[in-house]
Amino acid sequence: MPCRKSLAPDLVPEGHYRRPLPAELIALSSAAGRLLFREALLAGDMESYFPLAEQFHTQVEPSFCGISSLVMVLNALEVDPKRLWKGVWRWFSEDMADCCEQLSVIEKEGVTLDRLAEMGRCNGLLVDARHVDLDADAGIAQFRASVRQVSEQPSGVALIASYSRALLGQTGDGHFSPIGGYHAARDLVLLLDVARFKYPPHWLPLELLWRAMAAQDASTGRPRGYLHVRPEQSAEAARQS
């Protein structure tokens, strides 16, 4: 007999089990999403996906999207935390990323783009925080070039997007997620959404993400943007040191 206990419909707790993606966004696991993945893979624009996918996990708190994205990238880039996680193992988890900000504060308030950049730096990353300016002529071209560069490299560099969910037609507002790939022919990016309880990984137009990253963060009065990150030293050099 199955041990799972089924609840009567009137006893199911309030809340939500995921949300449907807006029509313009394409779930990675859908037939269309898998086709895009195959096409991008053959074009050589999915190299960054695999190290990130190995570390893909769901954020442990509703306000931990920034920390979870950072931890996912730190582990994907093979950054040694130089301190123990469990037993004899050195590994990053959300509760180890609070070198510049208390987790209790982040749990209540979330984290800004610049604060997340500082947290990355004090955990062994070289971080370039780029706030989006819709009026900058080279802005979206630079972002597209960064996405292409990262997507063509199997390791050593990553991008974390800070964007407004509302501009994507999703519920909520400020959010962070790593960028997992690029489909150049259709100018689509793959977002590895760390809030997997809410939305699955999905493809979306690069220009739409750009506009969502230009949305103002109410806590700072500045636009959102993205982080271009790489380790202070390569994983191989760290192992030999």
Side-chain angles (χ1 to χ4, degrees):
M1 294 292 291
C3 61
R4 182 175 182 270
K5 184 177 181 180
S6 298
L7 295 177
D10 58 342
L11 296 179
V12 173
E14 292 184 3
H16 303 281
Y17 183 79
R18 307 191 79 172
R19 296 277 195 184
L21 278 173
E24 197 170 2
L25 312 184
I26 304 170
L28 175 61
S29 62
S30 68
R34 294 197 303 271
L35 177 59
L36 290 169
F37 184 93
R38 288 195 296 271
E39 292 173 347
L41 183 64
L42 290 173
D45 290 327
M46 293 301 298
E47 294 303 308
S48 62
Y49 170 81
F50 297 98
L52 288 169
E54 286 182 344
Q55 310 305 331
F56 199 2
H57 67 276
T58 303
Q59 63 189 76
V60 298
E61 295 288 345
S63 57
F64 275 16
C65 55
I67 294 181
S68 297
S69 297
L70 179 62
V71 165
M72 183 172 158
V73 164
L74 284 163
N75 288 327
L77 296 179
E78 299 185 14
V79 176
D80 187 342
K82 304 295 178 65
R83 56 194 188 275
L84 293 177
W85 165 63
K86 303 284 185 181
V88 300
W89 299 106
R90 300 196 301 270
W91 194 252
F92 277 104
S93 62
E94 283 89 344
D95 59 358
M96 293 174 59
D98 60 344
C99 61
C100 305
E101 191 75 82
Q102 292 184 353
L103 291 180
S104 59
V105 174
I106 296 174
E107 187 173 349
K108 293 178 181 177
E109 304 175 3
V111 67
T112 67
L113 183 71
D114 290 315
R115 291 302 292 165
L116 190 64
E118 286 301 316
M119 293 173 72
R121 294 181 187 112
C122 68
N123 278 294
L125 292 174
L126 298 174
V127 184
D128 184 5
R130 302 173 182 176
H131 291 270
V132 168
D133 181 359
L134 289 178
D135 296 326
D137 294 336
I140 192 169
Q142 181 189 39
F143 175 58
R144 184 177 287 109
S146 294
V147 170
R148 188 67 182 265
Q149 175 202 25
V150 168
S151 299
E152 290 176 344
Q153 296 187 19
S155 62
V157 64
L159 294 176
I160 298 174
S162 170
Y163 57 98
S164 167
R165 283 197 183 279
L167 269 290
L168 303 186
Q170 300 176 344
T171 62
D173 194 14
H175 194 54
F176 288 90
S177 286
I179 293 176
Y182 181 53
H183 192 294
R186 292 184 54 181
D187 200 27
L188 300 173
V189 295
L190 177 63
L191 275 183
L192 299 179
D193 195 328
V194 293
R196 292 191 287 179
F197 52 85
K198 187 173 184 180
Y199 294 108
H202 50 272
W203 296 95
L204 75 163
L206 182 143
E207 186 174 348
L208 176 59
L209 178 59
W210 176 254
R211 294 198 302 270
M213 294 192 304
Q216 186 182 89
D217 184 338
S219 65
T220 65
R222 301 188 66 191
R224 302 180 187 276
Y226 61 102
L227 302 181
H228 186 285
V229 305
R230 56 190 176 90
E232 288 181 348
Q233 62 179 139
S234 69
E236 183 62 29
R239 283 191 286 267
Q240 294 176 358
S241 64

